[in-house]
Amino acid sequence: MTRDDNDSAPAEDDQLLVLPDDLRHELKEPMGPIETDARRLLEAVDGPLIAVGDVVTYHFLQAGRQPDVALVDGRTKRSAVDEEIREAVTAGASIEVRNPPAELSAPVVRALRRALATDEPTTILVDGEEDLVALPAIVAAPEGASVVYGQPDEGMVHVTVTDDHRTEMRALLERFEGDTERFWNLLDE
């Protein structure tokens, strides 16, 4: 497994964006339809599959589909996932990065870009929290890709990437606190 942290840079250089408290309520609303059955959700997938979350990734693996990009952190609803899920979703982890809760760090953005650029399925193991990576994933993924993330106690939210979704996510990310210019430079590389 490779680490994508830039250990030579000061820690503050890794922090790009922080979720402001006044945006938290907006992220509670699902950005797409909610599905509870992974096989049925997969019927609507036509293109690359980006899974954000351990349980979502596990359900796809159980349904026989390895996500093209998976982001996992060993947790669900702020608690450790079961050992079976942890072992299944981290077995193929190829990149390990730090990303603190409620933030988007430079290492996780670089890892996302690298994972999207390769033809091999890539699992990014996040030390911290991976939830917010769904937002830049929607911006950076190709047209028609599926970004799927968990909606606690409801199911899996399926976002099929379109220009409208990208525009909406860009506007939302612009409202985060931090170095948005550096964030966009890294994401758009």
Side-chain angles (χ1 to χ4, degrees):
M1 182 171 351
T2 62
R3 290 195 60 85
D4 199 46
D5 292 335
N6 184 352
D7 292 324
S8 63
E12 62 268 21
D13 286 347
D14 285 346
Q15 182 188 75
L16 291 175
L17 299 182
V18 178
L19 175 65
D21 288 339
D22 62 334
L23 274 186
R24 291 179 187 269
H25 71 281
E26 290 184 44
L27 296 180
K28 301 256 187 251
E29 289 298 315
M31 294 182 268
I34 296 176
E35 180 59 71
T36 57
D37 184 294
R39 284 184 173 82
R40 191 165 37 238
L41 190 152
L42 285 168
E43 291 172 7
V45 172
D46 183 26
L49 174 63
I50 297 101
V52 180
D54 296 67
V55 175
V56 169
T57 300
Y58 180 75
H59 284 304
F60 287 136
L61 293 171
Q62 291 298 105
R65 176 67 165 23
Q66 165 124 19
D68 297 284
V69 178
L71 291 115
V72 298
D73 65 2
R75 306 185 73 69
T76 184
K77 297 191 282 186
R78 294 188 168 77
S79 299
V81 295
D82 294 340
E83 186 68 18
E84 176 186 344
I85 294 174
R86 188 190 65 75
E87 286 180 8
V89 301
T90 61
S94 51
I95 302 173
E96 187 177 335
V97 296
R98 284 189 311 259
N99 190 68
E103 293 185 20
L104 289 168
S105 68
V108 81
V109 173
R110 283 193 298 268
L112 174 65
R113 291 298 309 165
R114 197 162 87 210
L116 288 168
T118 184
D119 292 334
E120 297 298 315
T122 304
T123 299
I124 302 168
L125 179 59
V126 178
D127 176 9
E129 192 174 271
E130 88 293 61
D131 301 2
L132 289 177
V133 184
L135 305 177
I138 291 168
V139 173
E143 184 80 13
S146 292
V147 176
V148 181
Y149 66 91
Q151 186 79 7
D153 302 317
E154 292 188 51
M156 297 172 282
V157 179
H158 181 197
V159 179
T160 302
V161 176
T162 64
D163 284 337
D164 287 346
H165 283 119
R166 284 193 199 98
T167 300
E168 184 181 338
M169 290 308 105
R170 279 185 176 274
L172 188 62
L173 286 161
E174 279 291 327
R175 295 170 55 202
F176 276 52
E177 297 168 353
D179 191 346
T180 53
E181 183 178 346
R182 183 162 175 247
F183 170 78
W184 292 121
N185 286 339
L186 279 175
L187 190 64
D188 294 336
E189 284 182 347

